[in-house]
């Protein structure tokens, strides 16, 4: 043990007292103001409602708790995927009926199917969340488990029903959209639930998540207005390898709980630094390869725009993510993902223009 440093009395106690009296602002600066406390409280409650990291516990409204379980912040990529699919069909026109079909499809992809997926994942991750994010509704005890199970089933059945309505509305002989919904719900189940629990394997789990966020909604949007073909499915599954990188970003916030419970996420398998590099290389390389494919089908303008959208992602990766992926994961996603999703739309427009 090292020796402690002796405390030396202040030789001028009166001057020290005068400093406090004459400079009260310096002391006040060290304390949070009521406005800052209120702002922080509002921010925590907003994060809680959206299902984001850094939320606060204590919500009592059962409907807000149910919404928090569905994590509205996670609906956005799926909703955007529907837009990309409609663009890649090459058949979307701005009519009232088409707008209503897209909005209905967004309801299917976002609140219903993604909401089902998120609650199912929270249900099976309740022990991990008790370590990583104890403020979530289930580990905090804000909602009983039987009510969670009921909500899962309501969202799943409503999703299947709405998918069938969209098939009838689109005149499908084969219920393509219903089939996609069934496949998506099955992937969500084996991702979260034992015995398979794909998320236990960093590679399989991350790719399953990436494909769910890109291939499934994109294929649904495409099927809504065009004939879903193998080329679109293969291309979006390839694009999902970039989504794999985005899925890895989500693993950094739960690395401690994953390690304790034996889940082999990539940050646990390879360490924080190596996993961060795997993440950013995957995101950038596969977007670049998609741009190369667009050049190969003579969509050079769209390929150029896609490359220009990759550049700020690389910049933000260096500024935030690679320097501290655990601390800056949310900041990186908020700043870089808009460029990735815009790139998805550019690709969809290119495919629609090329008649793929």
């Amino acid at each position: 043990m090292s020796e402690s440093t002796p405390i030396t009395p202040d030789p001028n106690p009166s001057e020290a007292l005068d400093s406090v009296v004459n400079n009260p602002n310096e002391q006040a600066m060290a304390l949070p103001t009521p406005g800052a406390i209120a702002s922080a409280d509002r921010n925590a409650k907003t994060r809680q409602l959206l299902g984001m990291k850094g939320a606060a516990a204590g919500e009592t409204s059962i409907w807000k708790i149910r919404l928090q379980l569905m994590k509205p912040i996670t609906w956005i990529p799926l909703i955007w995927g529907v837009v990309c699919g409609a663009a890649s069909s090459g058949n979307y026109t701005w009519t009232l009926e088409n707008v209503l079909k897209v909005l209905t499809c967004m309801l299917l992809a976002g609140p219903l199917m993604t909401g089902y997926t998120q609650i199912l994942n929270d249900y099976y991750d309740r022990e991990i969340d008790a370590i990583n994010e104890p403020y979530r509704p289930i580990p905090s005890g804000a909602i009983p488990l039987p009510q969670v199970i009921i909500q899962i089933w309501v969202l799943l059945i409503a999703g299947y029903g709405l998918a069938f309505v969209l098939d009838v509305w689109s005149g499908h002989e084969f219920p393509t959209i219903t089939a996609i919904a069934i496949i998506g719900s099955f992937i969500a189940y084996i991702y979260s639930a034992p015995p398979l629990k794909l998320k236990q394997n960093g590679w399989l789990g991350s790719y399953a998540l990436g494909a769910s966020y890109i291939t499934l909604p994109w294929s649904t949007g495409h099927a809504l207005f065009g004939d879903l073909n193998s080329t679109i499915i293969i291309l979006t599954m390839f694009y999902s390898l970039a989504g794999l990188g985005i899925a890895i970003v989500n693993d950094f916030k739960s690395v401690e709980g994953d390690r304790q419970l034996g889940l082999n996420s990539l940050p646990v398998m390879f360490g924080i630094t190596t996993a961060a590099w795997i993440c950013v290389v995957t995101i950038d390389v596969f977007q670049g390869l998609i741009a190369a494919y667009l050049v190969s089908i003579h969509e050079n303008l769209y390929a150029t725009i896609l490359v220009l959208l990759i550049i700020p992602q690389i910049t933000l990766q260096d500024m935030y993510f690679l320097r501290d992926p655990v601390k800056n994961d949310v900041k990186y996603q908020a700043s870089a993902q808009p460029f990735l999703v815009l790139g998805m739309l550019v690709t969809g427009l290119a495919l629609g223009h090329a008649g793929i």
Side-chain angles (χ1 to χ4, degrees), residues 217-237:
W218 193 315
S219 297
T220 304
H222 190 101
L224 199 61
F225 298 102
D227 295 324
L228 184 60
N229 55 70
S230 58
T231 302
I232 291 297
I233 294 173
I234 292 171
L235 281 173
T236 54
M237 289 182 69

Side-chain angles (χ1 to χ4, degrees), residues 189-254:
Y189 180 79
I190 63 174
Y191 174 81
S192 299
L196 294 180
K197 203 174 180 70
L198 296 181
K199 67 184 301 178
Q200 289 180 327
N201 182 291
W203 293 110
L204 287 177
S206 295
Y207 182 74
L209 192 60
S212 297
Y213 272 73
I214 295 179
T215 299
L216 295 178
W218 193 315
S219 297
T220 304
H222 190 101
L224 199 61
F225 298 102
D227 295 324
L228 184 60
N229 55 70
S230 58
T231 302
I232 291 297
I233 294 173
I234 292 171
L235 281 173
T236 54
M237 289 182 69
F238 186 80
Y239 216 140
S240 296
L241 290 167
L244 182 151
I246 297 299
I248 297 171
V249 176
N250 295 321
D251 291 334
F252 287 92
K253 70 178 184 296
S254 56

Side-chain angles (χ1 to χ4, degrees), residues 106-160:
M106 289 177 175
L107 175 63
L108 169 67
L112 296 183
M113 297 311 298
T114 309
Y116 152 81
T117 300
Q118 294 296 340
I119 300 175
L120 188 73
N121 185 65
D122 272 16
Y123 176 80
Y124 285 106
D125 271 6
R126 55 191 185 275
E127 293 181 1
I128 298 175
D129 289 341
I131 299 171
N132 293 322
E133 298 174 271
Y135 50 79
R136 285 189 176 185
I138 296 176
S140 68
I143 184 170
L145 286 181
Q147 291 194 34
V148 175
I149 295 171
I150 291 172
Q151 189 172 353
I152 289 171
W153 279 106
V154 167
L155 290 173
L156 181 62
I157 294 170
Y160 286 168

Side-chain angles (χ1 to χ4, degrees), residues 314-326:
I314 295 173
T315 303
L316 292 164
Q317 287 161 0
D318 178 62
M319 287 175 57
Y320 297 129
F321 191 67
L322 290 174
R323 299 186 184 189
D324 192 340
V326 176

Side-chain angles (χ1 to χ4, degrees), residues 34-167:
I37 295 173
S39 177
D41 184 58
R42 285 194 300 271
N43 184 49
K45 287 184 176 180
T46 300
R47 286 176 171 272
Q48 179 190 42
L49 193 61
L50 294 176
M52 297 172 65
K53 186 174 75 171
E59 181 59 65
T60 57
S61 168
I62 188 62
W63 295 108
K64 288 184 178 180
I65 291 170
R66 293 187 186 281
L67 183 62
Q68 182 187 355
L69 275 173
M70 295 162 65
K71 296 187 183 67
I73 195 69
T74 65
W75 304 348
I76 298 172
L78 283 293
I79 290 172
W80 189 258
V82 170
V83 174
C84 296
S88 69
S89 73
N91 297 321
Y92 180 81
T93 55
W94 288 97
T95 65
L96 177 59
E97 181 181 12
N98 285 348
V99 170
L100 290 175
K101 286 170 72 173
V102 167
L103 291 175
T104 305
C105 196
M106 289 177 175
L107 175 63
L108 169 67
L112 296 183
M113 297 311 298
T114 309
Y116 152 81
T117 300
Q118 294 296 340
I119 300 175
L120 188 73
N121 185 65
D122 272 16
Y123 176 80
Y124 285 106
D125 271 6
R126 55 191 185 275
E127 293 181 1
I128 298 175
D129 289 341
I131 299 171
N132 293 322
E133 298 174 271
Y135 50 79
R136 285 189 176 185
I138 296 176
S140 68
I143 184 170
L145 286 181
Q147 291 194 34
V148 175
I149 295 171
I150 291 172
Q151 189 172 353
I152 289 171
W153 279 106
V154 167
L155 290 173
L156 181 62
I157 294 170
Y160 286 168
L162 191 58
F164 184 75
V165 167
L166 286 170
D167 276 320

